[in-house]
Amino acid sequence: MKSLPAEIFFTKEQFEKIKKGFQPQDTQDKWLMRFENGVLHCERSWTGTSVFKIKFSPKNGGYATREIEYNPEAFKPGEPLSDEAVIKKVKEVLDKIEGLGYNLN
């Protein structure tokens, strides 16, 4: 796993939804997300491959990501792995959480 500092802010209400995670509902859902000990674990639903571990901290009355650990081997060959590309992918994955309240892209 590689690590990068990153800050994405969420309200308390949004963070409560994040803590509930995401369970795949059908074969089209590629992600499984579970929250344990302040970390959101994002895994591929079919293989269980760990792709992201997102750490959160309280900030300004809400919560913010403070560190993203990611598995570079879980990305497609040739897929960009710049900090910006990894953060964009994290935002796309978090968009899967129902009722999060806004589009993070």
Side-chain angles (χ1 to χ4, degrees), residues 42-100:
C42 303
E43 303 165 350
R44 291 288 187 186
S45 62
W46 283 35
T47 63
T49 300
S50 178
V51 180
F52 300 111
K53 292 180 183 177
I54 306 168
K55 299 176 183 178
F56 293 84
S57 294
K59 181 160 185 167
N60 298 333
Y63 289 83
T65 61
R66 65 176 158 74
E67 180 182 17
I68 298 169
E69 291 182 15
Y70 66 97
N71 178 356
E73 294 177 11
F75 287 74
K76 295 176 185 170
E79 194 169 359
L81 289 176
S82 67
D83 290 355
E84 294 82 15
V86 171
I87 291 169
K88 181 179 179 187
K89 187 68 171 179
V90 165
K91 290 178 178 181
E92 290 171 4
V93 170
L94 290 176
D95 268 346
K96 306 293 182 204
I97 297 175
E98 187 173 337
L100 193 55

